[in-house]
Amino acid sequence: MRARNKPWAEDHLKSHPQYVPAEPVSHKGNWKTEVFGNENELHIEVGSGKGRFITEMAKMHPDVNYIAIELSESIAISALDRMIEADIPNVKLLTINAEILGDVFERGEVDRVYLNFSDPWPKTRHEKRRLTFKKFLDLYKTVLPENGEIHFKTDNRGLFEYSLQSFSAYGLLLTYVSLDLHNSDFEGNVMTEYEEKFSSMGQPIYRCEVRYQ
């Protein structure tokens, strides 16, 4: 479902620069020291939606820096409100297109990429829009270090199978896979809004971790 446009979203985001850094390209290569003021690992979530996952992860892991990336400003304001309520310093928000990741981060600056409940774009003609398509795997590689990781989670079996094939064809190493996350022995799972909804309907949640090599 497409989010309802909220004309005031841009002003709301700009009024909280402590969470939404202006001109993100200007911080390229210096996110940890300039923006977070430390040398801790940097993890990004591409397609953060309303921000439940990234904010809860930041609460659980204060020694990790997190950046939520959500293109839609009308959706991103919900993530911002969560960050304001949490009142923690180790999470930021960018309303940018994933296609410019290489302009925003240096190679090796990002330690991990999270992809949670991405749009499956089920039609074949839309394959290039899927966040696990080769074009995007190229982009993640430009900002991750050698052996950098992608953690992927979805309720869509078709997208999961496609993504496993895409990862394999790219040469990524599969290090973890679950076809029913909530009935597995995986610890420390943080649910997104979509995950809670789909899981309550009895749908299995699929998860995998892959590493560049």
Side-chain angles (χ1 to χ4, degrees):
M1 182 181 295
R2 179 171 295 181
R4 184 176 59 185
N5 182 51
K6 299 175 181 177
W8 48 270
E10 181 178 1
D11 289 338
H12 185 50
L13 292 164
K14 287 182 176 179
S15 66
H16 293 86
Q18 70 274 36
Y19 292 109
V20 190
E23 300 181 10
V25 174
S26 68
H27 299 296
K28 182 176 181 177
N30 298 293
W31 280 95
K32 295 177 183 179
T33 55
E34 285 184 359
V35 178
F36 291 97
N38 58 55
E39 291 287 352
N40 294 339
E41 283 196 4
L42 176 61
H43 297 182
I44 68 173
E45 182 186 18
V46 180
S48 296
K50 296 181 179 179
R52 175 176 175 177
F53 173 84
I54 200 91
T55 304
E56 292 302 315
M57 287 291 285
K59 289 180 184 178
M60 290 174 59
H61 305 284
D63 57 342
V64 176
N65 301 319
Y66 291 92
I67 295 180
I69 296 174
E70 173 55 51
L71 180 59
S72 170
E73 293 182 342
S74 295
I75 295 175
I77 56 173
S78 295
L80 172 59
D81 289 342
R82 283 185 181 275
M83 295 174 188
I84 294 170
E85 182 179 2
D87 190 25
I88 47 179
N90 62 319
V91 62
K92 309 298 178 187
L93 170 65
L94 301 180
T95 53
I96 62 171
N97 193 310
E99 294 183 356
I100 69 164
L101 286 178
D103 297 328
V104 175
F105 302 105
E106 286 283 3
R107 176 67 187 270
E109 189 169 16
V110 175
D111 296 282
R112 181 179 298 168
V113 172
Y114 290 100
L115 303 174
N116 293 316
F117 296 85
S118 310
D119 192 324
W121 293 105
K123 295 181 180 179
T124 302
R125 68 174 185 271
H126 292 153
E127 178 187 10
K128 293 182 179 179
R129 298 185 183 184
R130 298 170 192 162
L131 290 180
T132 53
F133 180 65
K134 179 184 181 298
K135 175 184 71 174
F136 288 103
L137 299 183
D138 285 337
L139 285 170
Y140 309 143
K141 187 175 183 179
T142 66
V143 302
L144 286 166
E146 185 177 355
N147 298 322
E149 297 180 344
I150 299 172
H151 291 192
F152 175 65
K153 187 162 55 170
T154 182
D155 69 300
N156 189 291
R157 180 65 179 251
L159 178 62
F160 191 67
E161 292 176 349
Y162 168 86
S163 299
L164 292 180
Q165 294 172 359
S166 182
F167 295 148
S168 177
Y170 197 89
L172 294 173
L173 178 65
L174 182 66
T175 58
Y176 175 88
V177 63
S178 174
L179 299 180
D180 191 356
L181 179 63
H182 292 182
N183 288 310
S184 72
D185 59 359
F186 182 82
E187 298 180 356
N189 181 55
V190 173
M191 287 200 290
T192 73
E193 293 88 352
Y194 279 115
E195 183 174 354
E196 184 174 44
K197 173 184 176 181
F198 294 136
S199 179
S200 68
M201 295 167 60
Q203 296 181 221
I205 304 302
Y206 309 101
R207 186 180 186 277
C208 71
E209 298 176 13
V210 294
R211 187 171 70 229
Y212 287 87
Q213 54 182 344

